[in-house]
């Protein structure tokens, strides 16, 4: 690996790729379990996103600092232990400050350990880049994950509960679409977002093909 | 109904609180290896085995942690136990069935990061199950996982022949099948004791 020249320049793309082009939820389909399980309301989604982002940035920093000391054979185990340490930290902090949020997310805070996004970043980015760059990249990924969770949580809370961030939106006579806050709704809303993105992509492709075809005819 | 009985715990984790469809644990393999029936079944069996081994280890480990008053090490020690039992399954499968080993590919080591396995260990601790209950819980969770994986694989094999709109192809379609299966399993929740 030392033969490959390291590219240390931090570009806008280092940060932005996690938010759009390689969005962990909508594009790479990673970290599905917390994505679907805790997004029954926008506030839960935000809490989960923030906790994951913290673990992501902190573990990226540590992995990146020790990247030349960790033997290749036990690297995955080492990463997992590093991640587990930070998750334990978050677990105790959240228990201390917001009992309500902690109760709402249950075991899913501890299950951040097995979120593939974090291990994926440690393996793909932090283990071969300098600390600052890996942290910027991890922050982008974390933000992308949080935004995706908010997309899901917002839609599910509006439809399933008639509110957003706990504020009622539609008045008293709104009949909540309960299925949306139940497990099935999670699958449906995520499928809906994926279809939307796919449709946008196909439409863009169709347009560029039409333009290309028109040019060709002339 | 007695909610502490072993049969209740087992069937509750297979049907009403199915790990995949009701609790959203272990979705990565659920969406990843459920394309074909003949990889879905061994994958489910391997995961169930890991669940049982790690559940038994986690039970005794927790006793030890409580005895020494070091519960804050729970998460780290559980994950190490799970990682080692996955390694065990991997070595056994490589020796016994190399073809299967290749077919499962990357998803075999990824059992380590399967939230269902860690979920079993964490839930049995937080619900304070005794040893027999823990094993029943792990067995039920594993059976439920196999059930969900096989149902999904069967449906997807059929759907490979169907003509669907191009926007819904791939992950979106799998998720919609997941939604329908999940609704079907919600029916079982109505049968259980609240």
């Amino acid at each position: 690996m030392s033969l490959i020249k390291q590219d240390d320049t931090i570009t806008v793309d280092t940060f932005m790729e996690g938010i759009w082009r390689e969005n962990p939820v909508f594009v790479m389909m990673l970290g599905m379990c917390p994505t679907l399980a805790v997004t029954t309301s926008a506030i839960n989604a935000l809490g989960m996103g923030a906790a994951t982002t913290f673990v992501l940035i902190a573990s990226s920093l540590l992995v990146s600092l020790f990247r030349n000391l960790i033997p290749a054979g036990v690297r995955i185990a080492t990463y997992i232990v590093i991640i587990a340490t930070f998750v334990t930290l978050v677990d105790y902090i959240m228990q201390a400050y917001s009992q309500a949020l902690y109760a709402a997310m249950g075991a899913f805070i501890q299950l951040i350990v097995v979120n593939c996004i974090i291990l994926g970043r440690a393996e793909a980015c932090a283990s071969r880049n300098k600390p600052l760059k890996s942290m910027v990249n991890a922050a982008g990924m974390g933000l992308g994950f949080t935004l995706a969770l908010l997309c899901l949580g917002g839609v599910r809370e509006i439809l399933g509960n008639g509110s957003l961030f706990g504020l009622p939106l539609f008045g008293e006579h709104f009949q909540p679409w309960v299925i949306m806050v139940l497990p099935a709704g999670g699958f449906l809303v995520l499928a809906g977002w994926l279809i939307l993105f796919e449709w946008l992509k196909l439409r863009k492709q169709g347009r560029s093909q039409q333009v290309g075809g028109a040019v060709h005819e002339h | 109904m007695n909610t502490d009985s072993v049969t209740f715990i087992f069937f509750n984790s297979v049907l009403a609180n199915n790990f995949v469809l009701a609790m959203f644990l272990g979705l990565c393999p659920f969406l990843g290896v459920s394309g074909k029936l003949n990889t879905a079944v061994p994958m489910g069996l391997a995961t169930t085995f890991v669940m049982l081994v790690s559940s038994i280890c986690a039970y005794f480990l927790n006793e030890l942690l409580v005895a020494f008053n070091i519960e804050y090490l729970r998460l780290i020690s559980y994950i190490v136990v799970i990682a080692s039992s996955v390694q065990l399954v991997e070595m056994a499968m490589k020796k016994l069935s190399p073809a299967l080993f290749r077919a499962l590919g990357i998803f075999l080591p990824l059992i380590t990061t399967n939230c269902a396995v860690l979920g079993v260990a964490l839930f049995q601790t937080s619900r304070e199950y005794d040893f027999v209950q823990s094993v029943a819980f792990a067995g039920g969770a594993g059976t439920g996982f196999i059930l969900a994986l096989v149902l999904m694989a069967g449906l997807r094999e059929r759907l490979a022949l169907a003509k669907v709109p191009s926007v819904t192809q791939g992950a979106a379609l799998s998720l919609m099948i997941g939604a329908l299966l999940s609704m079907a399993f919600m029916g079982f929740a109505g049968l259980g004791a609240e």
Side-chain angles (χ1 to χ4, degrees), chain B residues 9-34:
Chain B
I9 289 171
F10 181 82
F11 284 107
N12 189 34
S13 55
V14 175
L15 297 174
N17 276 320
N18 185 289
F19 259 58
V20 180
L21 296 167
M23 291 164 80
F24 288 129
L25 293 168
L27 282 177
C28 298
F30 177 65
L31 297 171
V33 287
S34 62

Side-chain angles (χ1 to χ4, degrees), chain A residues 29-34 36-38 77 80-81 84-85 87-88 91-92 107-111 113-116 119 156 179 182-188 190-192 194-195 198-200 202, chain B residues 20-28 30-31 71-76 79-80 83 110 112-116 118-119 122-123 166-169 171-176 178-180 182-183 186:
Chain A
M29 302 288 289
L30 291 175
M32 285 288 108
C33 310
L36 293 174
V38 298
I80 287 265
V81 172
T85 313
V87 173
T88 311
D91 189 46
Y92 278 75
F108 277 95
I109 288 294
Q110 294 181 324
L111 285 172
V113 181
V114 285
N115 190 326
C116 354
L119 196 62
R156 286 179 75 185
I179 191 88
L182 292 173
F187 283 114
L188 276 180
L190 182 58
L194 287 178
I195 289 172
E198 188 67 25
W199 179 70
L200 287 175
L202 285 180
Chain B
V20 180
L21 296 167
M23 291 164 80
F24 288 129
L25 293 168
L27 282 177
C28 298
F30 177 65
L31 297 171
E71 286 101 333
Y72 56 86
L73 284 178
R74 188 177 286 149
L75 203 54
I76 299 178
I79 198 81
V80 172
L110 278 184
T112 314
T113 54
N114 184 337
C115 8
L118 186 61
L122 288 175
F123 281 124
S166 55
V167 281
T168 57
Q169 255 162 15
L173 189 65
S174 312
L175 284 167
M176 280 190 285
L180 293 176
S182 169
M183 276 191 231
M186 263 164 56

